[in-house]
Amino acid sequence: MAGRTETPLMAQYASIKAKYPDVVLLFRVGDFYETFEEDAKTCSRVLGITLTKRSNGAAGETPLAGFPFHSVDTYLPRLVSAGLRVAICEQLEDPKLTKTLVKRDVVEVVTPGVTFSDKLLDHRSNHYLASLTPGPDRSGLAFCDASTGEFFCYEGTSDQISGILEMLQVKEILIPRRSKLVPSLSYKTVQTERDDWIFTPQFGRDELIRHFKTHSLRAFGLEELPLATASAGAIIHYLYENQKENLGHFRKLAVYHPEAYMVLDGSTKRNLELISSMADGQTFGTLISILDETETPMGARMLKKWLFQPLIQTSPIQARLDSVQAFYENKTLRNEVRALLASIADLERLATKVSMGKITPRELVTLKRSLSELPLLKKTLSDSASAFISDLATPLTLFPELVNRIEQTLVDDPPASITEGGLIRPGFSNDLDEIRAMANDGKAWISRLQQEERDRTGIQSLKINFNSVFGYYIEITKTHLEKVPASYIRKQTMVNAERFITPELKETEEKLLHAETRMNELEQSLFLQLRQEIAQSTEALQQTAHQLATIDCLANFAHIAVRRHYTKPVVNDSDLIDIRDGRHPVIETLLPPGDSYVPNDVILKGTEEQILIITGPNMSGKSSYLRQTGLIVLMAQVGSFVPASSASVGVVDRIFTRVGASDNLAAGESTFLVEMNETANILNHATDRSLILLDEIGRGTSTYDGLSIAWSLCEYLHDHSRARTLFATHYHELNELASTFTRIRNFNVEVREYGDKVIFLRKIIPGGADHSYGIHVAQLAGLPEPLISRARIILRELEEGSFISHQTSSKNPPADGGFQMTLFDVREAPIIEALLKTDVNRLAPVEALLKLNDLISMARAAMKKKRS
């Protein structure tokens, strides 16, 4: 309230909070981080800690919630994981050394997209922050991983940018405050509004030039990309504003080129279950779960990027495949390389911590041990007879000086914090060794003095102790007070003892404490000097980490290929996809012991066998067949061996999938509308080099509507593109298309019938199915037998052209022995005359659909008349 006086502490808090109005401010007060007002209410709710109140002078009481400062690593991740931005306000001076209010300021702002905490980072995934600058026709995008220094920008349409954002799974997106362009994504992310002026091209250019210390942005290819420049500048501004640190690990900015990679939209990534299961969102049962046995965090992150960005140029694909083959054929080499990689820590993120001054003594020793493995790894690769392997060693930089520098400076097992002391190796610094000797001598003197005083006074329980309030003191129990020498100076009376000091003890204490202070200060200074020297190698460390990740991925693919009996695919620029004995890479690993996956062939060629219509019952393997084809193609273009006896893949530029039923009720979209939206997206973006996987198009509406759409869709794909297509369907009527269209072929899932039982052989064979076997599947699912029997009767009558009235059932048959209500009276129905006059041999497909629609209308009219 205006006019009311705040306490000095709360006035200081208010001035700092005013600079960070939209973040939770953790305000350091002694041994606690405190939050006030609305921040306190938020923390109490999110963290489950008690909300209290404190007096704020004449201003009244203020809500308060806090936790011990040493628990920040527990509570901070929970706040950020809840989507909150958190400012950490520290005490900038020692409270013991000032008689006024302690100076405080924010030293770091941790956000969902910018963090360096090991508890918030997944070491096997990137942690992206993005920035979006909307324009009239195109928009600018920039994205970075602050924990690794990866930094890219791009300009494109909203559809192109949405596709990139879907791939990145960004944690936070910066957008202009007045922007109306808010990306709609399939995953949850935090959208942070910033002032509009931050997203201007000129401001972005100035920020980037200041950071990279260049005269222009020509070297980055940004001169003709003003919106991308604006987005990249907004990210740099945000990082400096929040981290208060040097961003020296951001050494380069590259323009992202999505045209170099296969396009995978959100629907396709979900349907193929690349990194998350459609059932529960977990990794179990996904492609990444069976392909990722990488040995390093860098390798795991790179593998995930490779799966989301399959290559579309044959040359780099072939280079990967050849390297994998070389590892595949040399077991000894493969095992040695993987064992060495397993000893290497996350160099990428360690380099970032060095550059930003966040690395601990223990982490520096970890860095040293990792770099110590590089000479043997490089020699092992270089000595390989395969040029593909030896070439992988060339980009690896060795760091002998850096390793020696850390070895000479730090002890083998240093403490986690530089404030704990005991981290610099003896013999490294003469000054430090002298101070240590003084400190050690002082402690030895204290020990000798204790024994001398015991002997002199005869008090064997006499102790010399230390605390931060009195320093060193002599403690004597009250039972021995009569033996205390007159030279002792009483300092404190306890319940059962008295504490004393002597001039000699205080003189030694002063020398000892001064030595310890100087020792800690010098150790910290030497450590900071070491860290600064290592930071000069940040870029070289990043490049080496990237090469190690590449080696890890390639050796991993070879390891998986051997383990799972994969074969090397042939990848070329033809329009042929020829897979023999293909298997679903995930399903085959989940089968019970003793079961084996039934392999299948697929041949697709845009100019010949373009569209395969696959009919057959549910649960027979149609969907798995579609997905395994998509996954095998994707794996081949990633550079992996594939689960097949042989595979030839003509490069695919996009994989489209329309698989399964889903809805978007929040947006008012039914299952069928979602299905049609996804189908429209496929038709609008597919090219002659695309692979389309369609499963049950048209099932979300009435049978005739669905059949009509499915039929027309096949015609459209045949007449307007050469996109290779697998179309799984229950509409066995679509088999008629193969007799009319030259590039459509029929296939079905082989079935064996034994009486009323059906066995699905899960083998795809030429020809179309004439049954859907839905009732058999219902029986397998456990539906009641009376229901199954009744369904068979209804199915038989429908196939014969009649339908028993809803008043008739298997339980209550009609008394007259079987009254039937037919759809129409044969003697008088106009539909019969219309059918007899129709010459199906002269009807074009579209005319046939129109005629079918007329017949449906006539049938409905007959039904309405019969019921009336």
Side-chain angles (χ1 to χ4, degrees), residues 35-242:
T35 59
F36 303 97
E37 299 171 335
E38 292 303 316
D39 287 353
K41 296 176 183 178
T42 298
C43 285
S44 176
R45 184 185 70 254
V46 174
L47 301 178
I49 59 179
T50 303
L51 182 68
T52 60
K53 294 181 180 180
R54 68 165 289 161
S55 174
N56 186 14
E61 292 185 329
T62 300
L64 167 72
F67 52 82
F69 79 96
H70 56 75
S71 300
V72 68
D73 287 339
T74 299
Y75 289 114
L76 180 60
R78 291 168 59 183
L79 291 170
V80 177
S81 297
L84 299 170
R85 299 167 64 232
V86 183
I88 301 175
C89 179
E90 291 287 2
Q91 297 174 161
L92 302 183
E93 55 186 351
D94 190 339
K96 299 175 185 176
L97 304 179
T98 180
K99 296 182 179 180
T100 60
L101 185 65
V102 175
K103 293 179 182 179
R104 295 178 174 86
D105 204 352
V106 171
V107 297
E108 181 182 12
V109 179
V110 183
T111 80
V114 185
T115 181
F116 301 91
S117 168
D118 290 337
K119 293 192 176 182
L120 282 168
L121 293 172
D122 177 357
H123 292 290
R124 304 188 79 79
S125 299
N126 280 100
H127 196 95
Y128 286 117
L129 166 73
S131 173
L132 192 58
T133 303
D137 303 313
R138 296 163 64 82
S139 297
L141 173 70
F143 59 92
C144 75
D145 183 341
S147 69
T148 65
E150 183 179 326
F151 194 14
F152 289 91
C153 62
Y154 174 72
E155 267 190 29
T157 65
S158 58
D159 284 346
Q160 290 170 324
I161 286 178
S162 292
I164 296 173
L165 290 173
E166 284 286 352
M167 175 196 72
L168 296 173
Q169 301 281 301
V170 298
K171 305 298 182 182
E172 182 179 11
I173 304 178
L174 309 179
I175 58 174
R177 203 173 300 280
R178 297 181 182 178
S179 172
K180 295 181 180 179
L181 177 61
V182 179
S184 177
L185 302 172
S186 64
Y187 59 89
K188 184 179 180 180
T189 186
V190 174
Q191 296 183 353
T192 301
E193 295 183 350
R194 311 293 291 157
D195 290 338
D196 290 37
W197 58 266
I198 294 175
F199 295 85
T200 58
Q202 185 59 50
F203 179 78
R205 184 176 186 277
D206 292 343
E207 285 290 284
L208 294 173
I209 286 176
R210 179 184 63 81
H211 172 75
F212 289 111
K213 298 179 175 60
T214 57
H215 295 291
S216 72
L217 301 179
R218 189 169 289 106
F220 303 107
L222 293 179
E223 293 295 338
E224 304 301 323
L225 299 174
L227 297 176
T229 299
S231 289
I235 278 187
I236 288 293
H237 177 75
Y238 188 69
L239 291 173
Y240 273 110
E241 184 181 59
N242 289 343

Side-chain angles (χ1 to χ4, degrees), residues 626-641:
L626 266 62
R627 286 187 171 97
Q628 80 181 39
T629 302
L631 290 174
I632 288 173
V633 168
L634 183 144
M635 289 170 64
Q637 292 187 215
V638 162
S640 169
F641 283 21

Side-chain angles (χ1 to χ4, degrees), residues 158-384:
S158 58
D159 284 346
Q160 290 170 324
I161 286 178
S162 292
I164 296 173
L165 290 173
E166 284 286 352
M167 175 196 72
L168 296 173
Q169 301 281 301
V170 298
K171 305 298 182 182
E172 182 179 11
I173 304 178
L174 309 179
I175 58 174
R177 203 173 300 280
R178 297 181 182 178
S179 172
K180 295 181 180 179
L181 177 61
V182 179
S184 177
L185 302 172
S186 64
Y187 59 89
K188 184 179 180 180
T189 186
V190 174
Q191 296 183 353
T192 301
E193 295 183 350
R194 311 293 291 157
D195 290 338
D196 290 37
W197 58 266
I198 294 175
F199 295 85
T200 58
Q202 185 59 50
F203 179 78
R205 184 176 186 277
D206 292 343
E207 285 290 284
L208 294 173
I209 286 176
R210 179 184 63 81
H211 172 75
F212 289 111
K213 298 179 175 60
T214 57
H215 295 291
S216 72
L217 301 179
R218 189 169 289 106
F220 303 107
L222 293 179
E223 293 295 338
E224 304 301 323
L225 299 174
L227 297 176
T229 299
S231 289
I235 278 187
I236 288 293
H237 177 75
Y238 188 69
L239 291 173
Y240 273 110
E241 184 181 59
N242 289 343
Q243 289 305 305
K244 317 292 182 183
E245 298 279 358
N246 172 37
L247 300 178
H249 63 300
F250 280 94
R251 297 300 177 102
K252 59 183 178 180
L253 169 62
V255 177
Y256 182 67
H257 293 286
E259 65 275 7
Y261 308 109
M262 179 194 293
V263 178
L264 299 168
D265 57 27
S267 174
T268 297
K269 279 181 283 208
R270 286 192 305 275
N271 290 331
L272 294 183
E273 298 183 300
L274 299 183
I275 65 167
S276 61
S277 167
M278 293 178 68
D280 56 13
Q282 301 302 309
T283 58
F284 179 77
T286 64
L287 184 62
I288 193 79
S289 71
I290 57 100
L291 283 188
D292 184 9
E293 293 189 25
T294 51
E295 299 288 358
T296 68
M298 304 92 70
R301 293 195 293 269
M302 178 173 283
L303 176 59
K304 189 170 290 186
K305 283 186 279 194
W306 281 10
L307 291 184
F308 275 168
Q309 300 178 117
L311 303 172
I312 59 174
Q313 300 297 324
T314 56
S315 179
I317 295 173
Q318 194 60 50
R320 286 185 188 175
L321 289 171
D322 289 341
S323 297
V324 173
Q325 182 178 14
F327 278 121
Y328 180 90
E329 294 174 346
N330 192 329
K331 178 181 179 180
T332 301
L333 172 68
R334 181 176 69 250
N335 291 340
E336 287 178 356
V337 168
R338 284 174 55 80
L340 288 168
L341 288 170
S343 302
I344 296 176
D346 196 340
L347 287 190
E348 206 168 25
R349 285 180 171 163
L350 287 175
T352 292
K353 288 186 175 183
V354 168
S355 177
M356 297 196 69
K358 295 179 180 293
I359 200 163
T360 67
R362 285 182 184 172
E363 288 172 330
L364 269 187
V365 171
T366 298
L367 176 64
K368 177 201 71 176
R369 291 170 180 163
S370 297
L371 297 181
S372 299
E373 302 290 345
L374 294 183
L376 180 56
L377 176 62
K378 184 161 186 170
K379 183 178 187 306
T380 301
L381 295 168
S382 300
D383 290 347
S384 171

